[in-house]
Amino acid sequence: MNIIFKIWRQNGPTEKGELKEYLIEGLTEDMSFLEALDYLNEALVLKGEKVIAYEYDCREGICGQCGIFINGRAHGPHDHMTTCQLHMRSFKDGETIVVEPWRAASFPIIKDLIVDRSAFDRIIEKGAYISARTGTAPEANALPIPKLVADKAMDAAACIGCGACVATCKNSSAALFTAAKINHLNSLPQGKAEQHQRVQHMTAQMEAEGFGSCTFTGACEVECPEAISIANIAEMNARKLKANLLG
Amino acid sequence: MKLNSKVPEGPLEDKWRNYQLKSRLINPANRKKLKVIVVGSGLSGAGAASTLAELGYDVQCFCYQDSARRAHSVAAQGGINAAKNYQHDGDSIYRMFYDTLKGGDFRSREANTYRLAELSAPLIDHFVQQGVPFAREYGGTLVNRSFGGVQVQRTFYARGQTGQQLLMAAYSQLYKMIHAKKVQMFTRCEMLDLVVIDGQAKGIIARDLTNGNLRRFAADAVVLATGGYSRVFRLSTLAIGCNGSAIWKAHKKGAFFAAPSFTQIHPTALPQSSDSQSKLTLMSESLRNDGRIWVPKRQGDTREANKIPESERDYYLERRYPSFGNLAPRDIASRAAKERIDAGYGVGRLKNAVYLDFKHAIEQFGLDTINDRYGNLFKMYQKITGIDAYKEPMMISPAAHFSMGGLWVDYELMTTIPGLYAIGECNFSDHGANRLGANSLLQASVDGYFILPNTINNYLAGKPNAQVPSVEAPAFVIAEERVQAHIDRILKVNGNKTVDHFHRELGKTMWQECAMSRNKSGLVEAIAKIRQLETAFWKDVRVTGHDKEVNTELEKALRVIDFIELAALMCTDALQREESCGAHFREEYQTKEGEAVRVDETFLYVSAWEYNQGDFKLHKEPLHFEFVQPTVRSYK
Ligand SMILES: Cc1cc2nc3c(=O)[nH]c(=O)nc-3n(C[C@H](O)[C@H](O)[C@H](O)COP(=O)(O)OP(=O)(O)OC[C@H]3O[C@@H](n4cnc5c(N)ncnc54)[C@H](O)[C@@H]3O)c2cc1C
């Protein structure tokens, strides 16, 4: 396959960026999208040019590092998929593919396609944990958790923190990310004691980081690799109301 | 130097308690004056950093990813073992210990292995308390499944995301302590050298990957939790960034390297489909609980799988290992697949795969049950291959997966450099020559949460007046200069080959000569090739850009040259060990039926290698089996 890539190049956070065009020939349909970029980078090195900076690690769809905007969609043309799971068979020979970094004020660009998502970590820092010390736990089965509750917690816990929800949202809202974590912990008995604080502190941090507010367009759910439901956001809002009343 | 494993006195079941009773304590007021560096924020590193911080130490934690949450532990799918005997199927700490020791082909230390089993049950309690959504029965009790190499159900899991869920728990504890200002986290920061002062580990040199600046960090002790190095094969199930650099640099500063050549080859990865491939994807081993593995009985059979009748299928694992069948341990299952593939029975476009078939399981349990158990794996398989595995069998193939070798550590998880600890996959300790499925998340977690925080006191308490050295100390200055010179040297080569070229070449040699099976002439040749590759790297590599910026190519180059050096040690180790055990299958040592032949009279020891100016000197830690007699490892 021959592909024309239009890729965002930006040398540093404060520098100006632009889309640059690259033609690559000889790709195969079996290649993953990231392998196609690897291939392009090898060619750039041999030409003496700087490589395109992009991120990835596990290439198994789970580490959440490989977020890229492809042809105007987070992680490319498919619903519920990470960039590393995307294969060139999803594109046509001769196609032009536009590749850009996540665009959100709270995710500043570091270089080329790499953005800084540490705002997510700071939201986690504000309460996405259960305050128990190591080595103090009671016997695990002493606290039964019905399957339906555990499954629901797991549905929310599946979030991989890739940031596609923010990138795809017209308001750059981090509501899906934050809601997923809150609902995971708040729905479990272990998380109940700190539930009100958790929702208040985490949502406050989300706002402080400059993420926009949620207007329920549902775009995030479509792009989320784990298909985390936007019902989580409604639930978070309800929890927040309750926390404000009772907290 | 005589290796002292520091295994405590007494019966197996009392050793850990005896150790704890005797180890020294440090008063909380003094702990906050002590600084500990933890390199790595996977399960082992995050567990250690947060627990040390809870204890009151002043902790700095490092990872090369943008967030601690992305450490490679996140990718583990299958599960974590614990001897809880919830299924009432005869499990116990002793049985788990025995399975692990036997699974590792009696090449691990009894006391460490027992402690691993002993601490498994409280670890599950601990994770449940942290909010890990493990799979549950309707009534709310925890579910278990069985995993390769054992006949009891002792594996706990959270759908196909066990590693992610455990890491999220550890990461959230870490961020709790960051919030409490007890841990300082350095993301996108890669350790490039260890600083040793008066023979003791006192700090690291790290590169800030966002601007390329080198930084010096000093501490009273350094803990490496940097994960596995099986990316030495290039194609593996490991994350692309996984590397051996931190432990390799520590090795070059005096830490012994144990059992470097013991690499686990996992039987259930997706087959390689082209030369441009960057990694192999793992399909969870749990699939082997219900999937049946087969190849056609006729060589080179090109019919579609569904067109091949039952009578013409060879369920070779069930045939060769009737009592374990499809649950045979990983080394056995991988080697048996290689044997069939090499003999011309492989399937798929490149004839490099075997079938993993769910037809019978779907008939027996129904589609819903199978979907409930493995749905996400089937989905993932379809995303990558385009094949619907509910309708036709999956194709799987062996892939490099886990490093049983690593830095040599004693019972306290301390390396041969005082003050330097290694935890999780980067040490050699508990798995012997083969790791049983679902034991690694366990080891990483207990090392980080339970063991290290108890043993490090013993060292730190011995240094009441010691002070964290200044980063202006000569050892720091020299170490930083050397790192800078190394980087400059790479950038100056400006040759004609990419870093990936060297990695691919290295991977091919290692996969052919030092993976599932090895022989003397192949290994000798491999060492020569690796040395040539090393020379060629310094002559021909090209890295563009400069070092004071984000330079992903430079990051890769630094890791690949370390892999090349490490590969030479791996082959040296494989060559020296003239026996077959676990993952180490020397073709010269096998029975007529192709089963491994262990040579206990000569090789009942851990090989611990000392770095010696580019060469390697062997030290031996004899293995004493006080409580279990090594037997022939048979799964028939
Ligand atoms: C695909 C896959 C599936 C698996 N499934 C299972 C399973 O089901 N059950 C099981 O028990 N085991 C499984 N394993 C094995 C298990 O996941 C690992 O052995 C374990 O998670 C290792 O944990 P760790 O803490 O030692 O290292 P990791 O989680 O790899 O963490 C390494 C850390 O070190 C950091 N680091 C590395 N080098 C440097 C450096 N130079 N400077 C700074 N930081 C550095 C990284 O950033 C990272 O934070 C699986 C492994 C793979 C590859």
Side-chain angles (χ1 to χ4, degrees):
Chain A
M1 300 172 85
N2 299 339
I3 295 284
I4 299 162
F5 276 114
K6 281 191 175 165
I7 299 178
W8 186 261
R9 302 298 309 256
Q10 180 173 340
N11 234 332
T14 53
E15 277 162 72
K16 247 186 75 140
E18 58 173 351
L19 282 171
K20 275 190 76 174
E21 206 171 286
Y22 303 89
L23 168 71
I24 26 174
E25 297 173 326
L27 298 177
T28 67
E29 299 204 320
D30 280 343
M31 281 180 159
S32 73
F33 185 81
L34 293 174
E35 282 163 1
L37 290 184
D38 294 346
Y39 187 86
L40 171 58
N41 266 350
E42 283 202 69
L44 290 180
V45 169
L46 294 176
K47 281 201 273 182
E49 291 178 30
K50 281 189 191 185
V51 295
I52 299 153
Y54 48 95
E55 287 199 282
Y56 49 80
D57 202 21
C58 78
R59 296 204 178 182
E60 301 233 353
I62 192 79
C63 79
Q65 192 149 344
C66 63
I68 306 181
F69 226 62
I70 300 164
N71 285 343
R73 282 192 68 178
H75 295 301
H78 305 292
D79 299 353
H80 314 314
M81 194 189 262
T82 55
T83 306
C84 66
Q85 305 284 66
L86 175 65
H87 284 70
M88 293 311 288
R89 70 176 90 90
S90 298
F91 302 94
K92 286 194 290 291
D93 190 24
E95 192 172 334
T96 299
I97 305 177
V98 182
V99 189
E100 291 172 278
W102 283 169
R103 304 275 189 196
S106 314
F107 287 167
I109 293 180
I110 294 178
K111 185 177 184 178
D112 297 341
L113 304 173
I114 299 182
V115 300
D116 177 356
R117 283 168 287 192
S118 51
F120 273 9
D121 288 332
R122 290 188 293 272
I123 295 175
I124 295 294
E125 200 188 312
K126 291 297 181 307
Y129 39 73
I130 286 162
S131 300
R133 290 177 71 89
T134 306
T136 59
E139 211 300 316
N141 264 348
L143 183 66
I145 302 173
K147 179 170 167 35
L148 293 178
V149 176
D151 279 354
K152 187 167 174 276
M154 179 65 222
D155 288 343
C159 167
I160 63 172
C162 65
C165 50
V166 172
T168 200
C169 172
K170 64 184 168 66
N171 303 329
S172 301
S173 160
L176 193 65
F177 169 83
T178 312
K181 200 70 221 169
I182 289 172
N183 293 339
H184 158 213
L185 294 175
N186 281 16
S187 58
L188 291 171
Q190 294 89 335
K192 288 273 188 262
E194 296 163 297
Q195 58 176 328
H196 299 320
Q197 272 181 329
R198 177 173 302 117
V199 69
Q200 284 168 328
H201 292 168
M202 287 178 68
T203 51
Q205 185 63 27
M206 176 176 87
E207 282 154 31
E209 294 288 347
F211 291 105
S213 48
C214 168
T215 49
F216 280 102
T217 64
C220 52
E221 179 180 311
V222 178
E223 298 298 33
C224 173
E226 296 294 332
I228 291 174
S229 160
I230 53 165
N232 276 291
I233 301 177
E235 189 175 333
M236 170 176 78
N237 291 343
R239 287 184 191 281
K240 194 173 165 195
L241 259 175
K242 198 168 152 200
N244 291 347
L245 288 172
L246 303 175
Chain B
M1 174 174 187
K2 199 168 153 358
L3 290 167
N4 179 5
S5 64
K6 299 193 206 146
V7 170
E9 299 283 285
L12 211 44
E13 55 277 14
D14 294 339
K15 285 187 190 295
W16 179 231
R17 197 160 20 126
N18 286 346
Y19 173 85
Q20 287 175 290
L21 285 175
K22 287 191 189 149
S23 84
R24 281 179 286 191
L25 296 178
I26 302 175
N27 132 15
N30 289 335
R31 279 185 229 145
K32 62 173 182 273
K33 297 182 213 147
L34 291 161
K35 241 183 160 150
V36 183
I37 284 174
V38 179
V39 187
S41 61
L43 265 177
S44 59
S50 58
T51 309
L52 290 171
E54 269 178 13
L55 287 169
Y57 293 108
D58 179 4
V59 180
Q60 291 180 320
C61 184
F62 298 79
C63 73
Y64 68 75
Q65 291 94 345
D66 71 325
S67 165
R69 69 178 294 144
R70 302 197 215 283
H72 189 53
S73 296
V74 83
Q77 303 162 350
I80 179 167
N81 285 339
K84 282 277 202 185
N85 197 24
Y86 281 162
Q87 308 307 326
H88 211 66
D89 53 5
D91 203 7
S92 63
I93 292 173
Y94 189 85
R95 189 181 292 273
M96 181 166 169
F97 151 72
Y98 184 76
D99 284 346
T100 303
L101 203 70
K102 175 185 167 202
D105 224 345
F106 303 95
R107 290 294 174 267
S108 51
R109 212 182 272 146
E110 266 184 337
N112 287 54
T113 311
Y114 190 88
R115 179 175 61 183
L116 179 75
E118 182 182 356
L119 296 179
S120 66
L123 182 72
I124 296 300
D125 302 338
H126 178 61
F127 276 132
V128 166
Q129 190 184 37
Q130 290 182 357
V132 171
F134 284 118
R136 302 255 172 185
E137 304 285 2
Y138 275 89
T141 52
L142 290 149
V143 179
N144 297 101
R145 61 185 172 200
S146 51
F147 239 55
V150 296
Q151 288 165 312
V152 293
Q153 286 179 283
R154 68 162 72 103
T155 307
F156 293 78
Y157 62 100
R159 291 209 189 124
Q161 291 194 344
T162 314
Q164 192 206 8
Q165 293 311 318
L166 300 182
L167 184 65
M168 282 306 108
Y171 150 88
S172 67
Q173 296 303 306
L174 179 64
Y175 274 78
K176 180 179 81 180
M177 299 319 290
I178 291 171
H179 189 55
K181 307 248 179 304
K182 299 279 174 52
V183 176
Q184 229 186 324
M185 183 75 211
F186 297 87
T187 58
R188 296 189 195 274
C189 198
E190 182 157 10
M191 165 180 166
L192 294 184
D193 206 0
L194 176 76
V195 179
V196 178
I197 298 179
D198 297 332
Q200 316 217 6
K202 288 291 178 193
I204 64 170
I205 306 294
R207 182 165 177 270
D208 181 334
L209 302 180
T210 58
N211 55 25
N213 291 336
L214 295 181
R215 298 179 64 179
R216 307 170 196 168
F217 296 91
D220 294 284
V222 177
V223 180
L224 300 185
T226 54
Y229 54 83
S230 296
R231 278 278 293 167
V232 80
F233 294 92
R234 182 172 161 96
L235 287 183
S236 77
T237 62
L238 273 75
I240 305 286
C242 287
N243 64 86
S245 290
I247 53 173
W248 188 246
K249 290 296 168 15
H251 175 57
K252 288 174 97 169
K253 286 271 164 93
F256 288 9
F257 208 121
S261 74
F262 290 176
T263 302
Q264 177 162 87
I265 310 294
H266 199 293
T268 62
L270 299 188
Q272 182 181 359
S273 63
S274 77
D275 227 23
S276 67
Q277 209 153 324
S278 58
K279 85 157 282 181
L280 298 171
T281 303
L282 183 77
M283 293 303 289
S284 167
E285 176 169 43
S286 62
L287 293 167
R288 291 204 277 147
N289 278 336
D290 288 307
R292 293 179 68 194
I293 294 175
W294 61 276
V295 290
K297 275 190 180 158
R298 182 150 51 82
Q299 271 177 342
D301 195 331
T302 52
R303 286 176 292 176
E304 279 172 37
N306 286 336
K307 300 241 163 80
I308 301 178
E310 276 303 314
S311 60
E312 292 176 47
R313 300 176 175 196
D314 176 15
Y315 294 91
Y316 59 87
L317 282 177
E318 297 167 39
R319 167 168 62 77
R320 283 179 64 177
Y321 306 100
S323 58
F324 279 74
N326 295 300
L327 286 178
R330 292 177 177 177
D331 60 320
I332 306 240
S334 296
R335 214 156 40 238
K338 180 178 194 291
E339 190 276 326
R340 285 292 79 189
I341 291 168
D342 288 350
Y345 298 89
V347 299
R349 200 150 44 89
L350 300 181
K351 303 275 170 235
N352 58 354
V354 299
Y355 289 125
L356 175 63
D357 200 340
F358 284 86
K359 188 181 83 173
H360 304 92
I362 292 172
E363 278 163 15
Q364 190 182 350
F365 304 112
L367 205 63
D368 287 348
T369 306
I370 297 303
N371 184 30
D372 200 40
R373 285 185 194 162
Y374 313 107
N376 62 323
L377 296 168
F378 277 62
K379 250 191 248 153
M380 181 173 102
Y381 185 78
Q382 179 145 29
K383 268 186 202 168
I384 295 171
T385 63
I387 296 172
D388 179 356
Y390 291 107
K391 299 205 173 110
E392 50 184 304
M394 289 183 182
M395 277 183 272
I396 55 163
S397 192
H401 180 62
F402 180 87
S403 345
M404 271 84 68
L407 292 184
W408 183 90
V409 289
D410 59 24
Y411 189 75
E412 296 185 306
L413 306 182
M414 185 149 89
T415 68
T416 51
I417 300 178
L420 179 70
Y421 293 78
I423 60 176
E425 190 172 338
C426 75
N427 72 22
F428 89 100
S429 73
D430 308 0
H431 308 297
N434 178 42
R435 169 172 77 83
L436 291 186
N439 262 353
S440 170
L441 292 176
L442 168 65
Q443 185 228 329
S445 309
V446 296
D447 279 8
Y449 278 120
F450 294 160
I451 301 172
L452 178 91
N454 270 292
T455 60
I456 202 168
N457 308 321
N458 210 28
Y459 169 77
L460 292 173
K463 329 228 139 324
N465 308 313
Q467 277 194 339
V468 176
S470 153
V471 292
E472 303 306 327
F476 276 94
V477 177
I478 294 170
E480 184 186 323
E481 281 169 5
R482 294 224 170 118
V483 170
Q484 188 62 51
H486 184 63
I487 291 173
D488 293 344
R489 188 176 166 208
I490 289 182
L491 289 169
K492 262 217 320 262
V493 180
N494 199 25
N496 301 312
K497 303 247 160 67
T498 61
V499 176
D500 286 295
H501 163 83
F502 291 99
H503 203 178
R504 274 192 293 267
E505 290 301 305
L506 179 70
K508 270 186 228 155
T509 302
M510 291 301 283
W511 184 247
Q512 267 157 26
E513 307 301 350
C514 198
M516 254 172 299
S517 65
R518 298 107 188 252
N519 62 57
K520 185 172 176 183
S521 66
L523 287 164
V524 170
E525 219 172 279
I527 294 172
K529 270 198 198 151
I530 291 164
R531 292 304 184 198
Q532 285 164 9
L533 203 61
E534 187 180 348
T535 313
F537 179 92
W538 289 114
K539 226 173 78 214
D540 256 347
V541 77
R542 177 183 284 189
V543 174
T544 51
H546 59 87
D547 63 326
K548 293 291 181 274
E549 63 178 342
V550 175
N551 189 338
T552 48
E553 206 59 19
L554 176 62
E555 290 165 29
K556 257 199 276 184
L558 288 163
R559 292 170 192 160
V560 167
I561 186 60
D562 288 340
F563 277 143
I564 294 175
E565 293 182 18
L566 166 60
L569 175 60
M570 291 170 73
C571 293
T572 304
D573 182 58
L575 183 62
Q576 192 273 334
R577 187 167 281 273
E578 296 182 324
E579 65 163 348
S580 292
C581 57
H584 170 69
F585 190 78
R586 273 289 293 267
E587 288 159 13
E588 300 93 325
Y589 301 87
Q590 57 179 309
T591 64
K592 269 206 230 65
E593 297 80 44
E595 303 299 330
V597 173
R598 217 174 56 216
V599 186
D600 283 349
E601 308 80 68
T602 330
F603 288 99
L604 208 56
Y605 59 74
V606 175
S607 308
W609 298 90
E610 181 181 5
Y611 187 79
N612 190 5
Q613 305 298 327
D615 219 345
F616 311 107
K617 183 166 173 234
L618 178 66
H619 298 259
K620 299 175 183 176
E621 181 204 335
L623 288 167
H624 301 291
F625 290 95
E626 273 183 81
F627 304 95
V628 167
Q629 275 320 300
T631 52
V632 174
R633 186 170 157 252
S634 166
Y635 290 88
K636 294 222 166 200

